[in-house]
Amino acid sequence: MKKVVKTMLMLALATAMVWGKGDDAKAAVKTTELIANQEITDKLYMNGENDPNVYNFTVTNNGYVNFVFTGTGRTEEGVFTPNSNDWCDYKILVNGKEYEHGTVKLKGEAFNSDVYSFKEGTVISVQMSTERKTEKEYFQYKIKAVTTQLNNNETEINDSKKQATKLKAGKNHSAVLTGKNEDTDWFVFKAKKAGKYKISMTAKDYRWNTGVQTYIYCTVKKGSKTIVTDKEVIGGEKAVTLFKGNLKKGQKVYIKAVQGSCAYHSEIYNLKVKKY
């Protein structure tokens, strides 16, 4: 009797596993690898067949990346309607953490995501989805990962003092505060030789993809001691000196940069360390 019961249980378990595999296969999403600066055209079906569409972009070099979406229209029962009033939703994630979400209108106009800077090898995932569910309809759009290659750029994640990006004397360092994620950037400079050093910052005139002027606020620490708080750097204006003074060999200066209020778009800036 025990053998019979055991056999029946094993059969039930095997059957459940088969059903489970079938369910998983049906629920599988479509995943596409994005190649830098190459646009692809795709469809998002309303019957949930491939909702969401997932696009993965792997960071391969230093610099920034943003995503350009162009919603081109809707097809229903074989009839294409360009520039419709519909829209689909998008999300941008890294390691499961959401950095941005919004809507892409299907009006034929290009829409730029925020701009991001992650270390080489990081996979950025973009998800396209919709809440609408019909059997004979799909949305059409284009998507492209646009990269800007730079040297000595800051990369995420450097949101804490322990994760601070290292600064080098004589180098110009590019950086970006990501607006939609309430980003914080930390930097550290360690003097290789004793001497006088100057650390300065300049910021791009406007926040990414807007006409709103850039405002960045900085805190400066010499070792563990805070020596400057809320130093304002305004986009388009002359360089602001964040630190100027003597450092012993091995001494460290930390810079913490945050955005001004209501900064919903990225702010791009530069840091420079100079020995004088």
Side-chain angles (χ1 to χ4, degrees):
M1 182 65 181
K2 288 183 179 180
K3 288 184 178 181
V4 173
V5 172
K6 184 177 180 180
T7 301
M8 292 177 66
L9 287 171
M10 290 178 67
L11 285 170
L13 179 60
T15 304
M17 289 175 67
V18 170
W19 287 346
K21 286 182 180 180
D23 290 342
D24 288 344
K26 184 179 180 180
V29 298
K30 176 183 175 183
T31 302
T32 304
E33 296 295 325
L34 291 178
I35 299 173
N37 305 309
Q38 292 189 18
E39 186 176 66
I40 64 172
T41 301
D42 211 345
K43 302 173 182 178
L44 181 64
Y45 287 88
M46 301 298 101
N47 60 5
E49 178 181 323
N50 64 333
D51 187 2
N53 281 348
V54 177
Y55 306 89
N56 288 333
F57 174 75
T58 303
V59 179
T60 57
N61 52 38
N62 293 326
Y64 307 138
V65 60
N66 75 286
F67 299 91
V68 180
F69 307 95
T70 306
T72 54
R74 179 189 73 193
T75 295
E76 186 172 10
E77 295 186 347
V79 179
F80 176 65
T81 304
N83 307 331
S84 73
N85 291 320
D86 296 287
W87 66 88
C88 47
D89 303 308
Y90 77 91
K91 289 182 181 179
I92 298 176
L93 306 97
V94 175
N95 295 327
K97 178 181 178 180
E98 183 180 308
Y99 279 79
E100 182 179 345
H101 68 269
T103 58
V104 176
K105 296 180 180 179
L106 306 181
K107 292 187 175 182
E109 300 173 353
F111 169 78
N112 283 277
S113 77
D114 220 336
V115 62
Y116 298 93
S117 177
F118 287 97
K119 66 181 180 180
E120 188 174 345
T122 300
V123 178
I124 304 174
S125 180
V126 181
Q127 295 182 1
M128 302 291 289
S129 63
T130 179
E131 293 183 354
R132 292 183 59 177
K133 294 291 182 286
T134 62
E135 286 298 320
K136 299 180 180 179
E137 185 177 357
Y138 57 82
F139 292 158
Q140 294 175 238
Y141 57 86
K142 299 176 182 179
I143 183 172
K144 178 167 63 172
V146 179
T147 59
T148 302
Q149 189 166 355
L150 297 166
N151 294 320
N152 302 310
N153 67 296
E154 162 260 349
T155 57
E156 297 295 335
I157 303 171
N158 63 340
D159 298 341
S160 68
K161 189 177 177 181
K162 290 182 179 180
Q163 299 169 315
T165 298
K166 294 179 181 179
L167 299 176
K168 298 177 181 179
K171 300 291 185 180
N172 191 42
H173 298 263
S174 301
V176 56
L177 283 163
T178 303
K180 293 181 172 64
N181 194 47
E182 298 182 353
D183 191 17
T184 298
D185 288 343
W186 277 87
F187 302 87
V188 60
F189 171 69
K190 182 179 179 180
K192 290 186 176 181
K193 296 180 180 180
K196 294 182 178 181
Y197 293 89
K198 177 181 176 181
I199 304 175
S200 59
M201 179 187 288
T202 56
K204 292 282 188 181
D205 295 24
Y206 304 111
R207 292 170 181 166
W208 173 255
N209 205 35
T210 73
V212 180
Q213 194 167 28
T214 295
Y215 282 88
I216 297 173
Y217 295 93
C218 297
T219 299
V220 183
K221 290 177 176 286
K222 188 176 181 180
S224 59
K225 182 181 179 180
T226 300
I227 57 175
V228 175
T229 57
D230 294 332
K231 186 74 170 180
E232 187 177 65
V233 180
I234 301 175
E237 298 192 359
K238 64 180 182 180
V240 174
T241 299
L242 301 177
F243 173 83
K244 186 177 182 179
N246 291 308
L247 290 175
K248 297 177 182 178
K249 181 180 179 181
Q251 265 193 309
K252 296 178 180 179
V253 175
Y254 291 90
I255 308 291
K256 176 187 176 184
V258 298
Q259 291 178 306
S261 60
C262 302
Y264 299 114
H265 296 269
S266 292
E267 297 182 318
I268 298 172
Y269 60 100
N270 294 281
L271 280 163
K272 190 168 185 178
V273 182
K274 184 178 181 181
K275 194 174 188 293
Y276 66 99

